[in-house]
């Protein structure tokens, strides 16, 4: 008899690796966490699989598929470890990276000057080749193949094994770039090459060049990492001792997954892999709870990621950045701030308190881990204030409060603060860092933060929930079941997805439906091939069409859906009307009906979607009163030291209500409920936190 098929989601973070397994036959969901292993992430990955299989009483042959969220690409870019990279571009455009864009990230901030960061490729590693295409793809000058061979030989002689290629207007005709890759393969077969017409068939040369170079830069790391995981997965034996290939998917930044064998060809699509999974998992949980205006707050050990979800759909962007590098690939619109549990508290030269972005990570970790950490962190402040228990993961990781106390007292002394005052200050600064990130994705984009419910998750995501309600004026906070594993859960809710884009600029009133139909069909053909390679038959495949439109003369576009069915004048007009509506919603005005303002189509997009079975929403039985879940009490500091009741979340049921001060504990996370706040358990087991009185205790 064939074993049941278990699907496993694994999210590898900076401090912990989170694992969720779902039994597709019974619907049972099992979760666990294990410390990450930065020196070899595969170790934590495989340990997590063994732990959930143990809980289910299953073995390796019961695994139906594994989906993975990884930070390999993100970390390489954030750490600035981009080196040994070469660039080939069109003759006369060798300074495209140096010129870049005139915008300064976040303005000039509090500084009087801004220093441009180092280029991703130094000028001496940029080589140009002869030949030129026009904007419509027509050939002005043929490709100079001798100059390509000269460039290839230079990179070979210098030992530069990773090369990005971006030629002018290759989005319109990829033939020149494809020939460059062929010559590179002939002259320098050991090189890893990315060409822009395969990475991003979209205009704007600087962004296309950077996106292609980032793809090339992370390709060797992603390839080695993914192949290592796939090989190690093969070691999980079947019942008769024979190894087999386990279907292995990797999360993409666009909210979909892709098989590991395909993702090595599109490594840039994984740059926001983990945060994307968390946003999608939170979106599904909130939707089941009837909440359609959501802010997500994913707090890990190194950082906190926030995003907006409206009607179950996270916001998407093609204007994202990873570190210093812009990226034009479709991605869930995530803002990241260095405010995780391991974020280090430190004193500036001006003798003020700062928290992050530096993190103690998993190794050595916070002071209380007792693994050699030398600076106080957010986790140390929480444990010393009694907000979290003196252990993590149900006792698996004991915390040394004395080590934490010594480090925090030293910082307090340097700042001339009392012990409690310093610890509270660390959490206050951290909360404001998170609040400012949430304002960035709401208030700065014309959204009223008070209209949203905040969904907090991740190991540290819910520790400051009450403080965020105070700072932002939020109506409530939702903490899902197993909040420390929401990102891993999200990996089991997403479909296989591939995005394809083609720049085609034309005025709306002059475009022919037939030309748009031909281009959309071409993109759909690419999506169809990709879905077939992923094992989806014709009855399973889905396609979504969108387009980027603008008013003529604008330097930015707005994405709108293009309806189903054959492209017609009516369908095109409907897309233009959707553009007017979206433009007004985003910017407060539109030019609908103004004959002097023409709508222009810029980019056409098709997404190929292969649906994957989603786990059913979990429910919990009615509670018998919160008192039955009480496990004791301890002293915790809020505005003062108070006796604080501690509850076991696993024993709380629907309808149970807890008044602060209280602490709700579970395996993967802890939720402090401050005085003046209450927590209620809904039918799905979510904790719903709201404010019940002001700071003076008045109802």
């Amino acid at each position: 008899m064939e074993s049941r098929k278990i699907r496993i989601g694994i999210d590898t973070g900076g401090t912990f690796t989170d694992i969720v397994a779902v039994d597709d036959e019974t619907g049972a969901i099992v979760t666990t966490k294990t410390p990450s292993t930065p020196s070899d992430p595969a170790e934590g990955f495989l340990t997590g699989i063994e732990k959930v299989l143990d809980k289910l009483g299953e073995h390796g042959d019961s695994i139906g598929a594994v989906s993975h969220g990884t930070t390999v690409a993100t970390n390489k870019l954030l750490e600035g470890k981009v080196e040994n990279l070469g660039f080939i571009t069109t003759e006369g455009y060798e300074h495209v990276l140096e010129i870049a864009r005139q915008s300064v990230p976040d303005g000039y901030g509090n500084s009087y000057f801004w220093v441009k960061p180092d280029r991703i490729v130094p000028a001496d590693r940029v080589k140009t080749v002869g030949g030129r295409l026009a904007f419509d793809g027509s050939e002005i000058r043929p490709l100079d193949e001798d100059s390509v061979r000269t460039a290839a030989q230079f990179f070979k002689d210098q030992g530069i094994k990773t090369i990005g290629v971006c030629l002018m207007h290759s989005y319109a005709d990829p033939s020149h770039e494809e020939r460059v890759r062929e010559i590179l393969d002939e002259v320098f077969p050991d090189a890893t090459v990315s060409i822009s017409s395969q990475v991003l068939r979209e205009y704007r040369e600087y962004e296309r060049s950077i996106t292609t170079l980032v793809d090339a830069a992370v390709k060797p790391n992603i390839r080695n990492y993914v192949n290592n995981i796939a090989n190690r997965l093969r070691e999980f034996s079947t019942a008769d001792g024979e190894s087999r290939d386990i279907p292995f998917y990797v999360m993409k930044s666009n909210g979909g997954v892709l098989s590991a064998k395909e993702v090595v060809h599109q490594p840039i699509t994984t740059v926001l892999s983990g945060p994307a999974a968390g946003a999608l998992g939170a979106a599904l949980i909130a939707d089941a709870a009837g909440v359609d205006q959501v802010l997500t707050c994913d707090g890990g050990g190194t950082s906190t990621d926030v995003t907006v979800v409206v009607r179950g759909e996270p916001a998407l962007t093609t204007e994202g950045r990873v570190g210093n590098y812009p990226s034009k690939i479709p991605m869930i619109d995530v803002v990241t701030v260095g405010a995780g549990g391991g974020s280090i508290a430190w004193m500036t030269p001006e003798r003020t308190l700062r928290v992050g972005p530096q993190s103690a990570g998993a190794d050595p970790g916070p002071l209380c881990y007792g693994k050699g950490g030398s600076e106080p962190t957010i986790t140390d402040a929480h444990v010393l204030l009694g907000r979290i228990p003196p252990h993590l993961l149900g006792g698996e990781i004991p915390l040394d409060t004395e080590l934490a106390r010594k480090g925090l007292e030293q910082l307090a002394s340097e700042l001339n603060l009392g012990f409690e005052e310093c610890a509270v200050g660390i959490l206050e600064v951290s909360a404001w860092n998170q609040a400012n990130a949430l304002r960035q994705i709401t208030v700065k984009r014309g959204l009223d933060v008070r209209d949203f419910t905040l969904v907090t998750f991740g190991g540290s995501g819910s520790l400051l929930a009450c403080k965020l309600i105070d700072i932002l004026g939020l109506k409530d906070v939702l903490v899902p079941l197993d909040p420390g594993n929401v990102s891993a859960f999200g990996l089991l809710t997403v479909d296989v997805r591939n995005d394809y884009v083609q720049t085609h600029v034309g005025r709306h009133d002059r475009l022919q439906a037939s030309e748009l139909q031909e281009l959309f069909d071409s993109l759909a053909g690419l999506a169809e091939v990709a879905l077939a390679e992923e094992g989806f038959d014709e009855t399973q495949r889905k396609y979504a069409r969108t387009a980027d439109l603008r008013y003529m003369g604008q330097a930015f576009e707005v994405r709108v859906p293009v309806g189903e069915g054959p492209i017609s004048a009516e369908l095109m007009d409907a897309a233009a009307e959707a553009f007017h509506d979206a433009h007004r919603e985003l910017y407060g005005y539109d030019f609908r009906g103004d004959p002097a303002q023409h709508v222009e189509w810029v980019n056409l997009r098709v997404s190929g979607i292969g649906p994957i079975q989603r786990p059913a929403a979990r429910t919990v039985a009615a509670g018998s009163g919160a008192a039955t879940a009480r496990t004791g009490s301890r002293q915790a500091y809020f505005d003062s030291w108070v006796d604080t009741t501690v509850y076991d979340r696993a024993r709380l049921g629907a309808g149970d209500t807890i008044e602060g001060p209280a602490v709700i504990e579970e395996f993967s996370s802890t939720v402090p409920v401050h005085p003046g706040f209450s927590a209620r358990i809904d039918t799905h087991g979510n904790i719903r936190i709201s404010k019940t009185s002001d700071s003076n205790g008045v109802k």
Side-chain angles (χ1 to χ4, degrees):
M1 181 177 176
E2 185 178 349
S3 296
R4 294 201 303 265
K5 292 305 178 187
I6 309 298
R7 288 190 296 122
I8 300 175
I10 302 178
D11 178 55
T12 300
T15 304
F16 290 104
T17 295
D18 307 331
I19 308 96
V20 173
V22 59
D23 185 327
D24 280 337
E25 183 179 293
T26 66
I29 294 177
V30 170
T31 67
T32 192
K33 294 170 80 77
T34 191
S36 292
T37 50
S39 60
D40 181 8
E43 287 296 329
F45 183 101
L46 296 169
T47 299
I49 291 180
E50 290 169 350
K51 288 175 78 170
V52 291
L53 289 179
D54 239 13
K55 284 189 172 186
L56 288 165
E58 294 285 345
H59 40 74
D61 71 332
S62 63
I63 301 175
V66 175
S67 295
H68 181 37
T70 173
T71 57
V72 170
T74 311
N75 291 345
K76 181 176 178 67
L77 298 173
L78 290 176
E79 293 166 7
K81 295 179 180 177
V82 177
E83 52 194 25
N84 207 28
L85 181 62
F87 181 42
I88 294 177
T89 190
T90 301
E91 195 173 62
Y93 287 85
E94 60 268 29
H95 299 302
V96 64
L97 301 179
E98 190 61 40
I99 295 169
R101 295 292 178 197
Q102 68 178 12
S103 59
V104 175
D106 300 321
Y108 285 92
N110 296 320
S111 302
Y112 292 104
F113 61 90
W114 173 71
V115 178
K116 184 185 289 189
D118 292 336
R119 304 299 88 193
I120 189 170
V121 179
D124 63 329
R125 294 184 177 181
V126 176
K127 296 298 172 185
T128 62
V129 297
R132 180 67 185 271
L133 298 175
F135 73 94
D136 59 359
S138 59
E139 188 176 78
I140 298 173
R141 293 190 300 275
L143 179 68
D144 181 352
E145 297 190 359
D146 288 339
S147 64
V148 178
R149 289 189 172 85
T150 299
Q153 190 63 49
F154 168 82
F155 292 129
K156 183 177 182 180
D157 293 342
Q158 296 295 316
I160 299 170
K161 293 186 175 182
T162 309
I163 303 166
V165 180
C166 182
L167 304 182
M168 285 292 291
H169 303 306
S170 56
Y171 56 83
D173 181 353
S175 59
H176 280 195
E177 282 192 353
E178 289 170 350
R179 181 57 185 148
V180 170
R181 181 168 56 186
E182 290 173 359
I183 294 171
L184 284 167
D185 287 343
E186 294 168 11
V187 177
F188 193 10
D190 291 339
T192 296
V193 179
S194 292
I195 62 174
S196 73
S197 51
Q198 187 176 61
V199 175
L200 185 71
R201 291 191 66 170
E202 189 174 334
Y203 85 139
R204 292 195 172 103
E205 304 308 317
Y206 171 68
E207 286 79 6
R208 190 156 54 92
S209 297
I210 287 288
T211 303
T212 302
L213 287 164
V214 168
D215 183 81
V218 302
K219 189 173 284 185
N221 295 70
I222 290 292
R223 181 176 58 223
N224 294 339
Y225 176 74
V226 167
N227 288 341
N228 181 33
I229 293 285
N231 291 334
R232 302 280 285 275
L233 275 175
R234 202 173 289 116
E235 296 173 8
F236 277 84
S237 299
T238 58
D240 57 10
E242 294 183 4
S243 63
R244 66 186 180 92
D245 287 328
I246 295 173
F248 178 35
Y249 297 96
V250 178
M251 184 74 198
K252 297 171 65 179
S253 309
N254 67 355
V257 292
L258 194 62
S259 67
K261 64 182 174 63
E262 291 299 323
V263 87
V264 296
H265 303 302
Q266 308 174 32
I268 193 173
T269 62
T270 69
V271 292
L272 285 178
S273 178
L280 288 160
L284 187 70
I285 291 166
D287 188 58
V291 181
D292 63 359
Q293 296 272 92
V294 171
L295 300 175
T296 71
C297 181
D298 179 2
T302 303
S303 62
T304 296
D305 305 305
V306 301
T307 193
V308 174
V309 178
V310 178
R311 292 181 291 277
E313 294 292 331
L316 289 171
T317 182
T318 56
E319 304 295 331
R321 298 182 68 89
V322 183
N324 291 324
Y325 311 118
S327 177
K328 288 284 287 181
I329 61 164
M331 61 176 65
I332 289 177
D333 193 2
V334 175
V335 171
T336 300
V337 60
S343 294
I344 293 169
W346 52 286
M347 184 180 70
T348 69
E350 295 78 26
R351 306 188 67 78
T352 60
L353 175 64
R354 293 283 181 87
V355 180
Q358 302 91 345
S359 173
D363 190 8
L367 288 167
C368 58
Y369 279 21
K371 294 166 61 178
S374 58
E375 298 173 283
T377 67
I378 292 173
T379 297
D380 295 311
H382 277 297
V383 72
L384 290 171
L385 293 178
R387 308 278 185 90
I388 62 176
H391 57 75
L392 299 177
L393 305 189
E396 187 176 323
I397 301 178
L399 302 179
D400 190 327
T401 55
E402 282 309 306
L403 281 176
R405 181 177 296 277
K406 288 178 183 177
L408 201 138
E409 285 178 342
Q410 181 179 340
L411 178 63
S413 174
E414 292 170 357
L415 291 165
N416 197 27
L417 295 173
F419 167 73
E420 291 91 352
E421 190 179 10
C422 183
V424 169
I426 290 171
L427 302 187
E428 182 86 10
V429 171
S430 179
W432 276 95
N433 287 342
Q434 292 182 4
N436 288 335
L438 289 162
R439 281 176 170 157
Q440 186 176 335
I441 61 170
T442 52
V443 177
K444 290 186 177 181
R445 301 179 187 182
L447 302 173
D448 190 338
V449 68
R450 296 169 297 182
D451 293 337
F452 290 81
T453 290
L454 181 66
V455 179
T456 61
F457 55 97
S460 67
S462 306
L463 290 169
L464 298 171
C466 294
K467 192 64 185 177
L468 289 172
I469 290 176
D470 262 342
I471 294 172
L472 296 170
L474 297 166
K475 56 184 180 182
D476 65 345
V477 168
L478 183 154
V479 184
L481 280 169
D482 298 314
N485 296 82
V486 168
S487 291
F489 172 75
L491 290 162
L492 301 177
T493 72
V494 298
D495 300 322
V496 171
R497 182 183 179 115
N498 253 318
D499 297 310
Y500 299 91
V501 60
Q502 173 70 63
T503 291
H504 185 75
V505 181
R507 263 176 53 172
H508 175 73
D509 57 352
R510 294 178 181 174
L511 279 175
Q512 298 297 312
S514 58
E515 61 181 309
L516 289 188
Q517 184 72 64
E518 183 179 348
L519 289 165
F520 273 124
D521 286 347
S522 175
L523 295 173
L526 296 172
E528 184 178 17
V529 169
L531 289 174
E533 290 177 349
E534 294 285 352
F536 293 93
D537 62 37
E538 291 182 8
T539 62
Q540 297 171 306
R541 302 170 199 159
K542 297 181 180 180
Y543 306 94
R545 294 187 305 212
T546 56
D548 300 341
L549 276 62
R550 67 185 179 193
Y551 293 117
M552 286 192 68
Q554 286 183 329
F556 56 87
E557 298 85 40
V558 176
R559 186 171 307 170
V560 296
V562 178
E564 297 181 355
I567 300 295
S568 62
E570 292 75 19
L571 204 65
M572 293 167 62
D573 287 343
E577 285 298 309
F579 164 70
H580 292 306
D581 293 340
H583 196 282
R584 173 166 288 278
E585 184 175 346
L586 285 169
Y587 305 111
Y589 70 96
D590 64 69
F591 292 119
R592 192 192 319 262
D594 186 342
Q597 298 290 340
H598 298 285
V599 173
E600 192 171 45
W601 292 60
V602 180
N603 298 310
L604 311 180
R605 301 178 184 273
V606 170
S607 297
I609 302 165
I612 286 179
Q613 181 179 343
R614 287 176 169 79
R618 289 186 280 181
T619 57
V620 296
S624 53
T628 61
R630 178 173 175 167
T631 60
S633 66
R634 64 170 174 262
Q635 290 289 300
Y637 192 93
F638 294 101
D639 292 328
S640 61
W641 287 102
V642 293
D643 191 50
T644 303
T645 308
V646 180
Y647 295 88
D648 176 10
R649 184 171 184 180
R651 289 152 58 184
L652 293 169
D656 286 344
T657 301
I658 293 170
E659 299 291 333
V663 174
I664 304 172
E665 297 179 352
E666 60 184 302
F667 177 79
S668 67
S669 187
T670 301
V671 183
V673 183
H674 291 219
F677 289 81
S678 68
R680 175 181 57 84
I681 309 300
D682 69 14
T683 56
H684 296 284
N686 303 307
I687 300 173
R688 306 296 290 270
I689 303 172
S690 58
K691 194 167 186 178
T692 55
S693 64
D694 63 23
S695 58
N696 296 314
V698 179
K699 297 287 184 181

